[in-house]
Amino acid sequence: ERVMHAKVPILKMTCSGLECDLSMNNLLPVFNSRLLKAYADIDDRVVRITQIVKQWARDSGVHGGQYGNLSSYSFTLLVIFYMQVRGALPCLQTDADRRPQYYSEGKKTFNVTMDVEDLRPNAANVHPGISFKDLLQFYVHEFRWGEWVVSVRTGQCSGIEEYPELSLKPRSGVTPEQWKHVIHIEDPFDVERNLNCVLAPRSNYKLWHSMDEALSTEEFFEAPSGSGGGGGGAAPSAKVAPKPVAKPTARGGAGNQWSRRTWKPGRADERPIGAPIGGAPVFKPAPRLNPLAELGWQ
C-alpha cells in the first residue's frame, strides 16, 4: 500500500507476516529505531505493553495517522514516557545538551546523542506495578492534556513552556477548544515536530474517551507482569471490551468525554512536576554523524 500523503511517503508492506514501512532518503528514523531498541533492551515490558496498546488502539478505532489518529510510533513513545515517569526506565538523552552529536538532513540539524553504551537490563520484579491498566490510569487521571508534553527526550512531566521549539500548530478543522486539551508529543530528535499534527478534529477527544472507557472496563485486563528486561515469559494480553466506545460529538453531551472529566491544573505560579530548574544549556561544537556509518552499514 502506497501512503503518499504522509510527511515522508512510505510503502506499507507485509513480509513473512511482519508489517513493514519502506521509505527512501529518510535516515533520521535510524536514530529513532536505535533509541527505541535501547529502551526495549533495558526492560522487555516496553515491547509487551506497546503490543497491547497498539492492539487496543486498533480495536478502539484510535490508531493510524492515515485515519487522523496517532501513529504506532507515537503510541510507543507514550509507553516509554509513562515508564520513565514511573521510574522503570531512565532517560537516555540526559547528556545530549552537554555532549551533542549532530546529524544533518536537508536544511535541518538534529542532536542525536543517546546513552546506549553498556546498557543493563532491569532486574526481575523491578517496578512490578507497570501495566497497561496503570498506563491508562496515568494518561486518564494524572497527565495534564494540553498543558504537559510527552517527551522521551526529558523523561519528565513538564509544562509546554519548557519546549519553546515544539510546533503548536493544530491541524485544519481542529477548534480552539479541542486544541486546548490536545495531547502534545515531542519527537525525541526532531524537537520541532509535534506528533499530534496528524490528529483530525475530535480524534483527541475520542482517544481520551477510549482510554477512560477501557480503564473502567475490568474485563480489559490481566494481572501485570513484574519482570524487567530479560524476564521472558508469554506476553500479557488485553481483552477487548464487549461494549462499544461512544463516539464524540461536536457539541458535547454524552459523546464528549470532557464533560465528565475533572481537571485539576496547578496554580499559574506553580512549576509543573519534574520541570527542569536552572539556566539554558551550553551547546558545544560536536561532530556531525552519518547514520549508516554509525551502524556499520557504510
Side-chain angles (χ1 to χ4, degrees), residues 150-169:
V150 174
S151 174
V152 168
R153 179 177 61 88
T154 64
Q156 57 189 7
C157 294
S158 300
I160 198 170
E161 66 276 2
E162 303 287 348
Y163 303 87
E165 297 181 71
L166 188 66
S167 174
L168 298 178
K169 183 179 180 180

Side-chain angles (χ1 to χ4, degrees), residues 257-272:
Q257 84 288 358
W258 303 108
S259 63
R260 298 192 289 116
R261 172 142 194 181
T262 301
W263 292 94
K264 297 180 179 179
R267 289 174 12 204
D269 59 341
E270 288 182 338
R271 178 177 292 273

